[in-house]
Amino acid sequence: MELNGIKPAEGAKHAKRRVGRGIGSGLGKTAGRGHKGQKSRAGGYHKVGFEGGQMPLQRRLPKRGFKSQLLQFNAQITLSALERLGAAEVDLLSLKQAGLVGELIKVVKVIKSGSIGKAVKLNGIGATAGAKAAIEAAGGSVA
C-alpha cells in the first residue's frame, strides 16, 4: 500500500449539494426554500420551539415532578450487607472503607432486606423500623 493510493471508503464522501444553479438541477430558482416567508430569506430564522408568538408547546404543558439534588448524598444498605461486613461496630467511615457506600455519601440508612444474625452496633447510621427491630432482635443496637 502506498500513501498516494489511499482512498476513503466507498460511499463515505459525496458531492456537496449545489443549489440555485438552474432548472435542470432540480434545485434552481428558489433553491429548495419555497416561496416567500421568513425561512426563504438570508439570515431569517427563529429559535428552536418558536411558534410565531403562539404560546409554545413546552410552556403549554404543565410542570410536573422534582428530583432533589441532595439525594446524591444519601445511601441505603441492607441487613444482609451488614451481615457480610461482619463488624461489631459500624459507622459511616467503616462503610466507606468496605466499599459499601460511595465516598460522597453523608447519610446512610439500613433497610430491612435479608436477615442478620450477628450483634451489630450502629453509630450515626439510621435504620427503618423493621431493620431496627431485626438488629435489636439479633442483640445489636441503633444509636
Side-chain angles (χ1 to χ4, degrees):
M1 182 164 72
E2 302 292 329
L3 280 176
N4 64 358
I6 296 174
K7 289 190 170 74
E10 193 65 40
K13 298 281 192 174
H14 50 84
K16 189 169 181 251
R17 177 173 290 160
R18 294 186 74 215
V19 297
R21 293 293 181 275
I23 310 168
S25 70
L27 288 168
K29 193 187 171 205
T30 56
R33 286 172 171 262
H35 292 278
K36 297 187 183 175
Q38 187 179 20
K39 295 202 289 188
S40 73
R41 320 271 185 219
Y45 215 64
H46 52 75
K47 63 185 176 190
V48 175
F50 185 68
E51 297 181 20
Q54 170 178 299
M55 188 61 69
L57 181 67
Q58 74 269 22
R59 289 189 59 198
R60 289 198 299 262
L61 297 174
K63 295 194 285 186
R64 194 170 167 273
F66 169 77
K67 186 165 184 181
S68 173
Q69 288 302 304
L70 295 174
L71 289 177
Q72 63 187 330
F73 302 114
N74 295 354
Q76 55 189 22
I77 65 165
T78 61
L79 287 174
S80 50
L82 274 182
E83 177 85 24
R84 283 196 306 275
L85 186 61
E89 285 199 25
V90 177
D91 60 353
L92 187 57
L93 187 63
S94 65
L95 292 175
K96 285 182 180 181
Q97 288 170 344
L100 288 174
V101 297
E103 287 298 316
L104 295 175
I105 301 301
K106 293 178 180 165
V107 178
V108 178
K109 197 168 200 179
V110 180
I111 59 171
K112 187 183 177 206
S113 177
S115 60
I116 189 163
K118 300 172 186 167
V120 174
K121 184 180 180 192
L122 299 182
N123 292 326
I125 294 175
T128 62
K132 186 175 180 182
I135 290 168
E136 288 170 351
S141 65
V142 178

